[in-house]
Amino acid sequence: MDNSAPSTGPSTAVPVDTGTSPVGSDGATLSGPDLARAALQAAREQSAARRRDGKKKGGAVRTRRRRGWSGPRPDDRDPQPLGRLAARIASERGWTEHLSGGQVFAKWASLVGGDVAEHTKPVALKDGELTVQAQSTAWATQLRLLQRQILKRISDGVGRDVVRRIKVQGPAAPSWRHGPRHIPGRGPRDTYG
C-alpha cells in the first residue's frame, strides 16, 4: 500500500529567495566567481571591523591558539641537522672556548701556512696564550717576527679572542721534568752512586 501523496505532475525545484540578491557596484546581480569575490571581501571587512572594535575597547584581540603539533614552519621539535645540535649543546654547556682552541690545533697548517707549519707546532693553549715550539732557533726568531700576522690569521680563521698572545719556544733539550709540578734539586740523579 502506498501512503505517499499523489503526485500532480513532474517535480520541479522551487528556488528559495532569501529576500536580497547580491548586487554588484553596477547594479547587476552577481553570480559565480564575482559572487565568491564579493563574499570574501565582505568577510575581510567584518574581520577588520572586529579587530578595530577590540582595540577600541582596550581588550586584546584573541587569536586562536594552535595545538601542540608542528606547522609548516621550522620548529624546535622538528628533526635538526647534527651540526646545529652539536653547536647548541656546546654553547649551553660552555664548551665553545675549548672547541675554538681545538680548532687552532686542527687547522694549524691552514692558519699559518704550510712552510711555517712544517717547522713549528702548537703545544698548549691556556688563558688565551698559545705556546708554539719551533724546530730551530732561526724558526723561533722568524715566528716572533711574524707574530702579529699569525695572530690576525688565527682570529680571522677561528674567532676573535681565542688566541691573544703567542709564546714561542725554541728547540728544547730532553728534560727530566714531567708535568707542571716538580721538586727543586737534582732529583733522581743524586742516588746513582
Side-chain angles (χ1 to χ4, degrees), residues 14-21:
V14 178
V16 177
D17 188 29
T18 58
T20 60
S21 299

Side-chain angles (χ1 to χ4, degrees), residues 19-85:
T20 60
S21 299
V23 179
S25 60
D26 59 352
T29 303
L30 298 178
S31 64
D34 296 328
L35 181 61
R37 283 189 201 100
L40 180 62
Q41 184 62 32
R44 285 180 179 160
E45 289 171 0
Q46 286 178 351
S47 176
R50 270 190 253 128
R51 271 189 253 126
R52 280 193 304 267
D53 291 343
K55 288 181 182 177
K56 286 180 184 175
K57 293 178 183 175
V61 178
R62 282 192 175 181
T63 58
R64 204 173 234 186
R65 181 172 167 84
R66 290 193 59 162
R67 293 190 185 216
W69 59 79
S70 174
R73 286 178 240 55
D75 194 355
D76 285 341
R77 295 168 291 162
D78 292 339
Q80 301 288 322
L82 183 61
R84 187 181 306 159
L85 289 174

Side-chain angles (χ1 to χ4, degrees), residues 177-182:
R177 282 190 197 172
H178 298 288
R181 295 187 176 92
H182 65 279

Side-chain angles (χ1 to χ4, degrees), residues 104-140:
V104 172
F105 289 88
K107 297 179 179 180
W108 180 250
S110 63
L111 290 173
V112 298
D115 194 31
V116 175
E118 186 178 331
H119 298 284
T120 61
K121 68 175 183 177
V123 178
L125 176 63
K126 187 174 183 182
D127 298 328
E129 182 178 73
L130 178 67
T131 305
V132 180
Q133 186 171 18
Q135 272 185 346
S136 65
T137 55
W139 273 104

